[in-house]
Amino acid sequence: MDTAERSYHKQPIFQRSKPKSGADGNKVTTFKTKRWFKNVGLGFKTPPLAIQGDYIDHKCPFTSDVTIRGRILTGRVISTKMTRTIIVRRDYMHYIPKYHRYEKRHKNLAAHCSPAFRVEIGDIVTVGQCRPLSKTVSFNVLRVMSNNTAAKTFGKF
């Protein structure tokens, strides 16, 4: 497990299983760790790294008790500088009735990104609303679609 934290992490439900005895009576030192994961529902598949990985993330919707409820939003990643947190830009058009025209607008939102995903700037992500995870983060990444276009372009066109 490669984490930046200096504490021992484990999933709270499971412990390492005891070493098994071999056929000759000697103890085998291989440990089989059980991994708890869940399906978040809403048509989103659990990523393979959440099932087979060894990371510990207490804010991950697939391996912890964080539930997805409320809004499901899509946007483009513009920053991955924070630890396990990304900034998602959502572009939209706003109608101005006086001129019968639209103007471009955007909103940025912070979302928790589980170690099960590899996210780069410019990727299209789908995020789901959950309980507040910190002061500014109330969304969790549910799906990542890689994108090869420039990150600064207006996403709707």
Side-chain angles (χ1 to χ4, degrees):
M1 180 177 1
D2 50 348
T3 60
E5 295 88 11
R6 293 180 180 219
S7 60
Y8 177 72
H9 293 286
K10 63 178 178 61
Q11 285 187 319
I13 320 168
F14 294 106
Q15 297 286 337
R16 285 181 171 264
S17 59
K18 295 181 181 179
K20 298 179 180 178
S21 297
D24 57 353
N26 295 334
K27 292 203 175 201
V28 180
T29 58
T30 58
F31 283 95
K32 173 72 174 152
T33 57
K34 296 178 182 177
R35 181 129 177 106
W36 183 83
F37 61 91
K38 68 177 181 179
N39 182 5
V40 297
L42 304 169
F44 295 102
K45 293 183 178 178
T46 304
L49 197 59
I51 299 170
Q52 302 157 354
D54 61 349
Y55 70 88
I56 302 296
D57 186 10
H58 299 293
K59 297 178 181 180
C60 174
F62 305 105
T63 61
S64 70
D65 61 350
V66 175
T67 58
I68 302 298
R69 80 286 190 281
R71 296 183 178 268
I72 305 293
L73 306 174
T74 303
R76 184 181 311 273
V77 177
I78 61 170
S79 175
T80 58
K81 295 179 181 177
M82 291 181 277
T83 305
R84 295 186 180 177
T85 304
I86 61 172
I87 302 297
V88 179
R89 178 184 172 116
R90 301 194 64 239
D91 297 318
Y92 60 95
M93 301 296 285
H94 179 254
Y95 183 68
I96 309 295
K98 179 179 178 181
Y99 299 110
H100 303 289
R101 284 170 170 72
Y102 291 89
E103 67 181 3
K104 295 178 186 176
R105 289 190 180 181
H106 79 275
K107 294 280 185 190
N108 290 342
L109 72 97
H112 179 77
C113 184
S114 169
F117 296 111
R118 300 289 176 245
V119 180
E120 297 177 357
I121 294 176
D123 289 350
I124 304 295
V125 295
T126 302
V127 296
Q129 188 177 11
C130 59
R131 65 174 172 81
L133 302 174
S134 69
K135 180 182 175 182
T136 58
V137 178
S138 293
F139 287 88
N140 244 313
V141 175
L142 299 175
R143 182 187 302 146
V144 177
M145 295 169 280
S146 61
N147 193 7
N148 298 332
T149 61
K152 284 286 189 175
T153 59
F154 193 78
K156 292 290 183 188
F157 305 106

